[in-house]
Amino acid sequence: AAVWASPTAGLKLTWRYPVLRWLAAASFALSFTQLCLATFLVTMLVEDAGYSLVAAGVMLALVQAAGGAGRVASGWLSDHTGNTLGVLKIMAMTTTGCCIVTAFLAPAWPTVLVALLFLVFGAVAVGWNGLFLAEVARCSPPGMVSIATSGAMTWNFGGILLGPALFATVYALSGSYTLNYGGLAAIPFLGFVALTLCGRAACRAAGR
């Protein structure tokens, strides 16, 4: 095997194939949302919902635990239905809905209701990664899974890098974490749109 390869080969490959291009774009949106959820959840609960740091930390732990369970459950559902893209689209739309609901979070909300919200939020906003990587591998040209994965993951880490930074910038203007989460809903929705376009590109590639 060659010791040195072009550092941009993965990006060029993902851009050349529409299915991979839209998958990578979706991962940017979903990782953007995932990191914003994990980064600002505790601060939002303390500042806007009146939680103690310990109670807010428990909610973050619920998000992480639900994310782990969501990865297993979404993998099972994908295998059971044979429709990985469909499962990813459901997760993206559910994430969008959770962002919108979070915009209305208030100190008067029962703790059980808040916990239920973030259990669902964590399961879908954190649990999508495995399906994304599996779909990239499935759609890659023969013998090019590693290169395609590197290109797609560049988009993924782009979302990780930009998400919290942009979220914090918007917060400086809005002054409300809950409203910020409501506005964040546009990002996973764009991920849903990218996944829909990915499905259409896959159908065209298959001649359907």
Side-chain angles (χ1 to χ4, degrees):
V3 174
W4 176 258
S6 169
T8 60
L11 286 171
K12 291 177 181 177
L13 180 66
T14 53
W15 190 258
R16 192 181 314 131
Y17 290 86
V19 174
L20 294 176
R21 185 192 313 154
W22 291 119
L23 269 176
S27 79
F28 175 90
L30 296 177
S31 64
F32 187 116
T33 308
Q34 177 183 339
L35 264 291
C36 289
L37 171 63
T39 302
F40 298 101
L41 173 63
V42 169
T43 306
M44 177 194 67
L45 289 173
V46 172
E47 296 291 331
D48 292 358
Y51 275 59
S52 69
L53 281 172
V54 173
V58 170
M59 291 298 175
L60 179 59
L62 286 178
V63 166
Q64 299 292 359
R71 295 188 184 199
V72 176
S74 63
W76 175 86
L77 184 60
S78 173
D79 286 344
H80 185 70
T81 61
N83 185 7
T84 301
L85 264 184
V87 176
L88 281 169
K89 288 166 68 176
I90 291 171
M91 297 177 83
M93 281 307 298
T94 306
T95 301
T96 302
C98 288
C99 287
I100 294 171
V101 172
T102 302
F104 298 96
L105 184 64
W109 280 34
T111 303
V112 173
L113 184 58
V114 176
L116 180 61
L117 167 63
F118 289 116
L119 279 171
V120 175
F121 207 163
V124 292
V126 182
W128 59 275
N129 307 70
L131 295 188
F132 158 68
L133 289 171
E135 195 68 359
V136 169
R138 188 183 70 82
C139 297
S140 297
M144 305 189 76
V145 173
S146 62
I147 297 176
T149 301
S150 73
M153 287 301 294
T154 302
W155 290 69
N156 185 295
F157 280 101
I160 291 172
L161 177 67
L162 292 177
L166 291 179
F167 190 99
T169 301
V170 174
Y171 171 76
L173 301 174
S174 70
S176 170
Y177 286 104
T178 51
L179 287 179
N180 253 32
Y181 275 103
L184 182 65
I187 303 300
F189 180 74
L190 289 175
F192 170 81
V193 172
L195 291 167
T196 301
L197 293 171
C198 175
R200 293 178 181 176
C203 288
R204 287 195 296 270
R208 297 197 300 268

